[in-house]
Amino acid sequence: MTSADRAQSPVTVGVVGCGHVARKHLDALRRLRDVRIIGVCDRDRAPRVAAARAYGAGAYADLSAMLEDRRPDVVHILTPPQSHCELALAAMRAGCHVLVEKPLAMTSGQADEMMRVAREAGVQLGVCHNFLFEPGVMRALAMLRAGALGRLVSVDVFWRIRHGARQDRFRDSDWIHGLPGGVFQEVAPHALYLQAAFLGQPRIAAMLVKRIGGAVVPGPDELRVLLESDEALGSVAISVHAEPHQAGARIYGTEMTLALDLTTNALVKLRTRGTGRIVKLVRSADQSCQLMGGTLGNAIRTICGRMRFGHERLIRAFYDNLRRGQSPPVDGAQGRLVVGLIEEITATLAAAAPGRG
């Protein structure tokens, strides 16, 4: 599709994988002007038929049939990561732009092959690092780049994996437990691409895994990773056991610290200096007011239908950039960086698994 074609005709889209995350993509696509969902693909009949009916698209059992029959401009790859490389390569070789759910691939070698084919085919390869487009993260990154935090000191990211009788999609997802890193390989990319956004090019400095037990996760069920870049430090803590469910970050600067709650999209500036009693009172009042203001703002935006979350913002940016002939908001190189870090983590997890050294 040429630049002139993109400017004058709807962008046609096919979606591969009709599981948990597909609705977020399909809903976001349906809200975009000049974008038309023409096909959905899944090996399982029930989800593909349900998605096809809900979004007015053709239903297909395999990608090759959808590519031949519909010839979409863009393909979203929303399948388990074990199949990302194969499916993305097939779509790109057919001339389609591709947006892949995280992680981009299983190995750095696969990521390199995907980027090479994208260049040769003259198509865009984007990665869905959706939390980068959550309002709180975007505000935090903007403040860091504007110098409001001073010099970055460290970034700590915490992620609690939800395991419960009523909300455990991990226990019922065989493909997750088939990953070399298990549930950690499913969740860790989020924490790692957030670290990369703040630190630049993080490297793993140390790692600790432990088996506490009592969960459905085989092998180690608690993970801690220490990261470093040329200018700052970072840490990632991923827990199966901590309650309640929480995902968030602390971004420490020489002038200000940010407390970011990714579960509620709340961002609080920790800026009051000193340790006296009056200072503590002022600090508590300041943080309470920020939380109340943020909660009220989120409520108003939600009621007015103006609340946009990470997936929708990223997908909108992907198509805006595509029409302008620009690179994706998250490109293959950014995806490959995360894949490389995951490879290191899974090697440690494998060594710590029962029966290993």
Side-chain angles (χ1 to χ4, degrees), residues 14-340:
V15 171
V16 186
C18 298
H20 174 77
V21 78
R23 182 171 177 177
K24 295 180 181 180
H25 283 251
L26 290 164
D27 283 348
L29 289 166
R30 185 159 59 180
R31 285 191 284 267
L32 292 177
R33 295 179 58 188
D34 299 325
V35 170
R36 186 160 59 95
I37 304 165
I38 59 172
V40 294
C41 175
D42 198 290
R43 289 182 300 179
D44 294 335
R45 184 179 185 278
R48 73 171 179 261
V49 169
R53 288 174 178 169
Y55 296 92
Y60 297 88
D62 63 83
L63 174 60
S64 60
M66 185 174 72
L67 292 174
E68 182 176 354
D69 188 32
R70 296 287 178 161
R71 300 186 182 277
D73 299 315
V74 182
V75 172
H76 289 224
I77 308 294
L78 314 181
T79 56
Q82 295 94 324
S83 61
H84 284 182
C85 181
E86 178 184 358
L87 294 171
L89 291 178
M92 291 188 293
R93 285 170 175 152
C96 304
H97 305 287
V98 167
L99 180 62
V100 186
E101 263 296 337
K102 62 80 192 161
L104 173 62
M106 292 291 290
T107 67
S108 298
Q110 287 183 348
D112 289 337
E113 175 73 356
M114 293 162 76
M115 289 190 291
R116 182 186 66 79
V117 170
R119 289 193 299 269
E120 292 178 352
V123 297
Q124 299 289 1
L125 172 63
V127 192
C128 210
H129 289 176
N130 54 290
F131 277 95
L132 295 178
F133 293 82
E134 293 292 342
V137 175
M138 295 177 72
R139 284 180 58 204
L141 285 168
M143 292 176 65
L144 175 64
R145 291 162 184 160
L149 277 63
R151 183 170 56 84
L152 184 65
V153 176
S154 66
V155 180
D156 298 336
V157 176
F158 175 82
W159 218 280
R160 193 278 200 236
I161 299 174
R162 289 177 290 183
H163 273 278
R166 302 182 67 181
Q167 58 180 6
D168 184 12
R169 72 182 178 90
F170 294 101
R171 178 166 49 195
D172 299 326
S173 300
D174 291 338
W175 66 265
I176 292 178
H177 297 294
L179 294 168
V183 292
F184 294 118
Q185 192 164 354
E186 161 65 3
V187 174
H190 289 305
L192 293 170
Y193 65 63
L194 286 170
Q195 288 286 5
F198 286 99
L199 298 182
Q201 295 285 327
R203 305 175 296 274
I204 294 178
M207 209 178 314
L208 179 65
V209 295
K210 186 174 180 64
R211 175 70 181 174
I212 293 180
V216 298
V217 178
D221 51 20
E222 294 288 316
L223 172 67
R224 306 293 183 266
V225 182
L226 181 63
L227 301 161
E228 63 176 346
S229 69
D230 292 342
E231 302 297 334
L233 296 174
S235 71
V236 169
I238 300 179
S239 174
V240 171
H241 298 281
E243 287 290 359
H245 168 68
Q246 184 72 26
R250 288 257 176 157
I251 302 102
Y252 298 90
T254 55
E255 298 296 326
M256 186 192 302
T257 292
L258 301 177
L260 174 60
D261 187 333
L262 291 167
T263 310
T264 62
N265 249 312
L267 179 68
V268 174
K269 305 170 188 176
L270 309 180
R271 53 198 174 189
T272 308
R273 298 171 185 260
T275 57
R277 285 180 294 178
I278 299 299
V279 170
K280 291 178 181 179
L281 180 61
V282 171
R283 180 180 297 170
S284 295
D286 178 36
Q287 294 176 22
S288 297
C289 288
Q290 291 184 62
L291 281 172
M292 290 176 62
T295 300
L296 180 60
N298 286 341
I300 292 172
R301 283 187 288 272
T302 300
I303 292 170
C304 296
R306 293 188 288 107
M307 194 67 172
R308 297 290 181 263
F309 295 102
H311 272 101
E312 183 166 355
R313 289 173 181 265
L314 184 150
I315 290 167
R316 185 179 297 273
F318 179 86
Y319 284 90
D320 286 345
N321 288 10
L322 187 62
R323 287 194 174 278
R324 299 185 188 114
Q326 298 175 352
S327 298
V330 182
D331 62 20
Q334 293 166 278
R336 187 197 186 283
L337 172 62
V338 172
V339 170

